[in-house]
Amino acid sequence: MERSVPYTVPLGQREVFQALQRLHMTIFSQSVSPCGKFLASGNNYGQIAIFSLSAALSSEAKEESKKPIVIFQAHDGPVYSMVSTDRHLFSAGDGEVKAWLWVEILKKGCKELWRRQPPYRTSLEVPEINALLLVPKENSLILAGGDCQLHTMDLETGTFTQALRGHTDYIHCLALRERNPEVLSGGEDGSVRLWDLRMAKEVQTIEECSRPHNGRWIGCLATDSDWMVCGGGPALTLWHLRSSTPTTIFPMWAPQKHVTFYQDLILSAGQGPCVNQWQLSGELKAQVPSSSPGLLSLSLNQQPAAPECKVLTAAGSSCRVDVFTNLGYRAFSLSF
């Protein structure tokens, strides 16, 4: 009987395949390590790449310094969201969240610590988990996505403790009001909902008032005490939460996919190859070009342990992660 010989992909074909992968890559998520010196990026192929920010920012950096120190397969589908604690990296994909130890990742021992699946309504349901949010005071993790619910997981026991229902379509984004603690969620139904975690109930609903041709979905939101900024299909808008009043509508009609408060500015990114800097009054201060035709995530590295790595990173519809050492220009790009 003739023995079958295992087929191996020739080197040239492998290089072509990898080039095609990079060409069609989307980077959905980013998270900075607890030491502030490394950046994790998750793509549409379920891979997580770890970059050394300290090496890339060094005066002796070479092109090799801007490539991943390790790439590992984290999920079968896209890595939609990631967050980090002082020990763990959490990543979310289709229907599951996984935990990884940063100390093991940096040793290139990329073996999952555990995986959890929220209690979905049917065993056949595998919705994407679009957003993860840490609630440090409660030592909990909030998950939200395609099943239109917010799931709370106790990080000490790994158990899901509550499910918050109210959205009528899937959820895109989460933000934390730490003082209360309360969580804001925005979704495809066009609403932003405010949840009291201790009472486990919805306490406020904001229906976006600006409805352009892009649709009603809320794709990004951020909060700073009594203020919230949100956008997506509707124009990016600043709201006063206590009075549920929109105070500023920013003149940016392209859908925005990520927004954050930074000092006295609001930073946003989405459709279009730039990071937008807004005054709270609504004035566009600057548009800083990026290397990607569209952006899906911004990450501000403000870890006090690594002030030399204080940067803004932006990623989206390409294999590159742009690094901004100040807000005025792109210094260089990291590449998957």
Side-chain angles (χ1 to χ4, degrees), residues 86-106:
D86 58 355
R87 295 182 63 231
H88 298 103
L89 172 67
F90 299 106
S91 63
D94 288 323
E96 65 181 8
V97 61
K98 292 185 180 183
W100 317 81
L101 283 171
W102 267 109
V103 66
E104 295 300 323
I105 290 173
L106 298 179

Side-chain angles (χ1 to χ4, degrees), residues 270-284:
Q271 193 177 88
C274 57
V275 177
N276 307 298
Q277 301 176 26
W278 302 96
Q279 305 280 9
L280 297 180
S281 61
E283 178 186 352
L284 182 60

Side-chain angles (χ1 to χ4, degrees), residues 68-144:
I69 60 172
V70 62
I71 299 175
F72 61 96
Q73 193 70 37
H75 297 269
D76 293 334
V79 184
Y80 293 113
S81 184
M82 292 191 293
V83 292
S84 291
T85 65
D86 58 355
R87 295 182 63 231
H88 298 103
L89 172 67
F90 299 106
S91 63
D94 288 323
E96 65 181 8
V97 61
K98 292 185 180 183
W100 317 81
L101 283 171
W102 267 109
V103 66
E104 295 300 323
I105 290 173
L106 298 179
K107 291 177 183 175
K108 304 183 182 180
C110 306
K111 185 178 179 182
E112 68 187 60
L113 185 63
W114 50 254
R115 72 172 72 189
R116 298 284 187 276
Q117 186 177 72
Y120 296 125
R121 285 167 288 210
T122 71
S123 59
L124 298 176
E125 193 174 20
V126 189
E128 73 277 10
I129 298 173
N130 294 324
L132 296 176
L133 182 69
L134 289 167
V135 186
K137 287 183 180 179
E138 306 292 316
N139 194 29
S140 62
L141 180 68
I142 311 291
L143 300 76

